[in-house]
Amino acid sequence: MSNGINMSDYLDLFLQETEEQLSILESEIGKLEAEPTTERINSIFRAAHTIKGSSKAMGFSSYAELVHEFENILYLVRDGALTVDHEVGETLIQTVDAMITGKEHLASSGEDYVADVELLASLKMLSGGKSAAGASQAAPTAKSGFAWPESVNEALTELPNHENIYTVHLSLDPSCVMKYVRVFMVMTALGSLGEVLASNPVQDKLEAEEFDFDVKFLISLESSIEEATQTVNGIGEIASVTFEKYTVSEDKADDHAATTQVAAATEGDGAKSDKPKREASQTIRVDVSLLDALMNLVGELVIDRTRLSQIGANIAAKVNDSENTDALAETVGHIARVTGELQEQIMRARMLPIDTVFQRFPRMVRDLSRKLNKQVSITIEGGETEVDRSVIEGISDPLIHMVRNSLDHGLEDAAERKKKGKPEGGSILLTAKHKDNAIWVELSDDGRGIDPDKLRAKAVEKGLMTKEAAARLTDRDAQLLIFSSGFSTAKEVTDVSGRGVGMDIVRANIQAMGGIIDIESTPGEGTKIILKLPLTVAIMGGLLSRVGAVDYVMPIGSVLETIATASMEVQKVGKRPVLLLRGQTVPLLKLRELFKVKQSFAGEHTDDYVVVVGSADQKVGLVVDRLLGEQEVVIKSISKYCGELKGLSGATILGNGRVALIVDVNSVLEFTRGLENGH
């Protein structure tokens, strides 16, 4: 590019911003046909307008043209001139798909994306040749000079505070070739220092470069004038920039075009808020690899914090110097508090709303229900629930499998539902919430449910168990067979599901994150699948125990209670020992036998405690020699050194320098079920 401008320096920023706006479009566009609310239309329009503006600034004119034609339709919908029927809805969805494809093309090649000619023709036909730019510029053009018109003044009176509102006078260098690129960079910079309320010329004229070299902005500034001036001057090809305190203009010019952004700022909840919104200046983009590195470093600090506390306690027990030992204890305590706060802040920085995953499902349900000729609606609750980024990445594929299975197998078609006395349209409920120091994600449907008898028969047919063993299965255990590898009750293979894969992948992925998957189903009424996920997969609280000379950690979220063996009531069911716990039988499993641990020395006390782990519906008592207390541990993978070890999910380093093994509660529960069912 001429004049030393290298827009590739801004490509990553452009792609990140476009990805965010496309997520909004993908989430909202699928709901537009059913609920074309003003708020939703404005949200879609703002996202599209942002993509168009930044695309033009980057020089991706063909990609910007696609978004521009999309905008034309939105203008007509917003003005009531066009109804979002099936044809319009499908075309808008196809356009968003094309935008996503185009973004991927821009990311991989760095070159402009040319949309499909037929799609562009469909958009132009729907808009009837009307121009979005023409619609937005129907008002007279702004007069020359730098006096804001009365309409701007009236709009600004709805803002509660005028003290920080300034008029920015920007002059570009006359040698500037791509004027809008520079103006866009200035607007982005100003947006990071406050909120740009209006521009003169208006946005569409800026994008079309229908101005000389002077531009005016109205900004709610929340930084110093010196900082703002220095930031803008640092962009390059800026001849001058000045800031003037905003005052009500005496110019009564009849110019409504310049009020576009101000009106948008005041027509929503801006008039009710204490001050203008300023989100951009509150955030900064950070590469996720940096957050991962910080999390690893915090993990090492957690290990050393625990070790330092142990060393301090040992010194205090041996050294009779109260002054120094007290000072050491105080310092160790302060380091522990600071490390804890640092850990909490880093974890918060890694948090994302789970809606980043949830927002794709309305579109997926819409498309699949039409493909399957079913009437299905989806309701999403708790999308604002924040979870660790690693958990977000881990649950995406499992949720996709779950939703597809619910649509294909769980929900009946309209005719079948009508025969059963159900509403013709099926429903899916997807929720997320914090509960018991974990994230609970639940997917429910009001479909046909899971028939345990059908699953028993299928298990025998596939040779997974004998007919006698299948008959011994409880209904719940029979329903859990859907998580077995290669198990499917589908009568035919479709491109939606029924290949015998999917639910076993769901369980494997959830367990790999240290989570638990549960199921509740009533034949004829529906099914609920519950995912209990850790807040983070890097650091967890654990109950430390010892068997022989080996230390083990049970995830604290899976620990229900601990019992001294001397006070237990042990019985036998068949040949298996069980603990009678408040009228419920809980299988007992000795970690010593499970992991083949030898006694450290003759006469050693063994099997002194039981740690009951699992959930309310399924429990197992793990017998250990000693309980060593609770401790935060950093999870370290051992698979690359030892391969996959059944019953173990990793290891950690304790404060005393010893290595402790982390018990995989999910696989232990699965092993126990196998013993109970005789296979």
Side-chain angles (χ1 to χ4, degrees):
M1 195 172 289
S2 59
N3 288 324
I5 304 173
N6 184 5
M7 291 308 295
S8 63
D9 294 341
Y10 303 95
L11 182 59
D12 286 343
L13 180 62
F14 163 77
L15 292 172
Q16 290 173 16
E17 182 179 70
T18 301
E19 178 75 24
E20 292 173 2
Q21 303 306 322
L22 284 173
S23 295
I24 295 173
L25 290 180
E26 192 173 17
S27 171
E28 296 295 324
I29 202 70
K31 308 172 188 174
L32 187 61
E33 185 178 338
E35 301 176 17
T37 63
T38 301
E39 181 182 357
R40 176 161 290 122
I41 293 169
N42 286 338
S43 175
I44 295 171
F45 177 78
R46 284 192 297 270
H49 200 69
T50 299
I51 295 173
K52 185 182 77 170
S54 56
S55 299
K56 284 189 175 183
M58 290 295 299
F60 299 138
S61 57
S62 295
Y63 188 65
E65 180 189 359
L66 170 65
V67 186
H68 178 74
E69 295 297 340
F70 180 81
E71 268 190 327
N72 286 340
I73 307 299
L74 293 177
Y75 270 108
L76 296 175
V77 171
R78 189 179 67 178
D79 294 342
L82 188 65
T83 302
V84 185
D85 56 15
H86 178 68
E87 179 188 4
V88 173
E90 283 295 326
T91 303
L92 290 175
I93 286 174
Q94 290 172 17
T95 309
V96 172
D97 288 343
M99 290 184 204
I100 294 171
T101 301
K103 192 272 298 181
E104 293 170 352
H105 171 82
L106 297 174
S108 61
S109 69
E111 298 178 355
D112 201 359
Y113 171 77
V114 180
D116 181 74
V117 175
E118 291 185 6
L119 177 59
L120 288 173
S122 297
L123 290 168
K124 290 178 179 178
M125 182 179 69
L126 286 176
S127 66
K130 296 180 181 179
S131 166
S136 66
Q137 295 170 14
T141 305
K143 290 166 47 173
S144 61
F146 288 97
W148 291 110
E150 183 63 23
S151 51
V152 171
N153 298 326
E154 291 174 357
L156 286 174
T157 58
E158 299 185 39
L159 296 177
N161 181 18
H162 291 172
E163 292 300 316
N164 62 342
I165 299 180
Y166 292 84
T167 297
V168 182
H169 304 262
L170 176 72
S171 292
L172 300 177
D173 190 303
S175 63
C176 180
V177 177
M178 299 187 68
K179 295 186 293 184
Y180 178 62
V181 170
R182 289 306 181 190
V183 170
F184 176 77
M185 293 168 68
V186 170
M187 292 178 70
T188 302
L190 291 175
S192 69
L193 301 171
E195 182 177 7
V196 179
L197 301 173
S199 66
N200 189 347
V202 292
Q203 178 75 16
D204 290 314
K205 286 188 175 292
L206 291 175
E207 293 175 4
E209 297 198 349
E210 296 178 7
F211 64 100
D212 47 21
F213 294 94
D214 295 319
V215 183
K216 177 181 65 171
F217 301 107
L218 199 63
I219 180 174
S220 174
L221 188 64
E222 297 195 11
S223 70
S224 67
I225 297 295
E226 292 75 16
E227 180 186 359
T229 302
Q230 184 179 4
T231 300
V232 175
N233 279 329
I235 291 175
E237 294 193 313
I238 304 297
S240 66
V241 61
T242 59
F243 290 77
E244 289 183 4
K245 200 78 168 181
Y246 164 76
T247 56
V248 176
S249 169
E250 295 181 359
D251 187 342
K252 308 297 183 182
D254 183 21
D255 178 9
H256 300 284
T259 71
T260 302
Q261 289 167 285
V262 175
T266 57
E267 71 181 1
D269 59 356
K272 300 177 183 178
S273 63
D274 295 331
K275 64 179 182 178
K277 295 180 181 178
R278 186 175 74 93
E279 297 180 358
S281 61
Q282 302 293 333
T283 60
I284 183 172
R285 295 183 189 275
V286 177
D287 194 300
V288 291
S289 62
L290 176 59
L291 291 177
D292 290 341
L294 286 173
M295 195 64 182
N296 287 334
L297 291 173
V298 167
E300 297 301 321
L301 276 177
V302 170
I303 293 173
D304 288 341
R305 174 190 68 186
T306 308
R307 184 162 173 74
L308 191 59
S309 298
Q310 182 69 47
I311 293 172
N314 293 340
I315 292 175
K318 295 178 180 179
V319 178
N320 188 19
D321 183 353
S322 60
E323 182 178 349
N324 286 325
T325 53
D326 288 348
L328 177 60
E330 182 181 347
T331 303
V332 169
H334 182 259
I335 290 175
R337 287 193 300 273
V338 171
T339 305
E341 290 177 10
L342 179 61
Q343 173 189 339
E344 181 181 352
Q345 295 301 321
I346 292 297
M347 288 179 64
R348 287 181 62 186
R350 290 168 54 91
M351 292 290 185
L352 291 171
I354 202 169
D355 196 47
T356 55
V357 175
F358 282 6
Q359 65 186 5
R360 73 181 61 179
F361 292 112
R363 166 73 188 281
M364 177 188 293
V365 169
R366 176 187 183 277
D367 291 347
L368 284 179
S369 60
R370 292 186 177 184
K371 187 173 186 177
L372 296 167
N373 196 27
K374 295 180 179 180
Q375 300 175 24
V376 183
S377 64
I378 183 169
T379 302
I380 293 176
E381 297 176 356
E384 71 283 356
T385 304
E386 291 193 333
V387 297
D388 189 273
R389 185 183 65 84
S390 56
V391 176
I392 287 281
E393 294 173 349
I395 65 170
S396 179
D397 285 346
L399 282 177
I400 289 173
H401 282 297
M402 289 162 57
V403 171
R404 292 172 72 92
N405 272 342
S406 181
L407 278 159
D408 201 13
H409 298 317
L411 291 166
E412 312 95 333
D413 58 29
E416 185 179 348
R417 291 179 65 86
K418 191 173 181 179
K419 287 181 182 178
K420 294 180 178 179
K422 294 182 178 182
E424 292 187 11
S427 63
I428 293 175
L429 175 63
L430 181 60
T431 67
K433 59 187 175 184
H434 285 110
K435 183 179 179 181
D436 299 335
N437 201 34
I439 306 294
W440 285 46
V441 177
E442 300 179 357
L443 180 75
S444 309
D445 67 53
D446 64 347
R448 55 176 62 96
I450 300 174
D451 186 342
D453 291 334
K454 190 177 294 185
L455 290 170
R456 290 186 183 96
K458 198 71 177 180
V460 174
E461 178 187 328
K462 286 180 171 289
L464 297 177
M465 61 181 66
T466 64
K467 189 174 182 179
E468 293 73 19
R472 288 197 299 269
L473 292 177
T474 64
D475 285 352
R476 174 178 170 73
D477 285 337
Q479 290 171 340
L480 289 173
L481 287 171
I482 66 169
F483 296 117
S484 300
S485 179
F487 194 92
S488 175
T489 58
K491 295 180 180 179
E492 60 182 30
V493 171
T494 71
D495 58 356
V496 176
S497 58
R499 292 181 173 83
V501 298
M503 295 309 290
D504 58 322
I505 295 175
V506 168
R507 183 178 63 173
N509 286 7
I510 297 304
Q511 291 182 353
M513 292 189 292
I516 295 176
I517 186 166
D518 208 351
I519 191 167
E520 299 174 2
S521 185
T522 303
E525 296 183 13
T527 300
K528 177 192 290 185
I529 299 178
I530 305 154
L531 309 181
K532 304 171 187 177
L533 305 164
L535 294 176
T536 176
V537 297
I539 299 174
M540 73 172 188
L543 178 65
L544 189 60
S545 62
R546 182 168 293 170
V547 178
V550 183
D551 291 339
Y552 292 94
V553 178
M554 286 86 158
I556 200 69
S558 300
V559 176
L560 301 177
E561 59 184 297
T562 59
I563 307 168
T565 54
S567 63
M568 292 191 325
E569 184 179 348
V570 179
Q571 299 181 359
K572 283 195 174 183
V573 175
K575 296 182 179 181
R576 303 290 175 189
V578 297
L579 167 66
L580 189 60
L581 187 63
R582 292 181 291 276
Q584 182 182 7
T585 57
V586 177
L588 288 176
L589 192 62
K590 293 185 178 182
L591 285 191
R592 178 182 302 278
E593 296 177 0
L594 180 63
F595 296 121
K596 298 180 174 56
V597 181
K598 296 180 180 179
Q599 285 186 233
S600 300
F601 52 86
E604 175 187 11
H605 286 286
T606 62
D607 302 344
D608 289 337
Y609 293 92
V610 170
V611 181
V612 181
V613 298
S615 62
D617 295 323
Q618 185 180 8
K619 304 173 184 176
V620 61
L622 302 180
V623 184
V624 300
D625 295 350
R626 296 172 58 192
L627 296 179
L628 305 179
E630 293 184 26
Q631 184 172 317
E632 271 197 330
V633 298
V634 179
I635 304 170
K636 300 288 185 181
S637 174
I638 57 176
S639 59
K640 62 181 178 181
Y641 304 108
C642 309
E644 295 296 331
L645 298 178
K646 194 72 173 177
L648 299 174
S649 59
T652 189
I653 302 173
L654 303 176
N656 57 11
R658 290 170 60 91
V659 173
L661 301 174
I662 300 173
V663 177
D664 183 354
V665 173
N666 284 302
S667 63
V668 171
L669 290 173
E670 184 179 349
F671 175 75
T672 306
R673 282 198 300 269
L675 292 177
E676 292 174 340
N677 296 326
H679 62 89

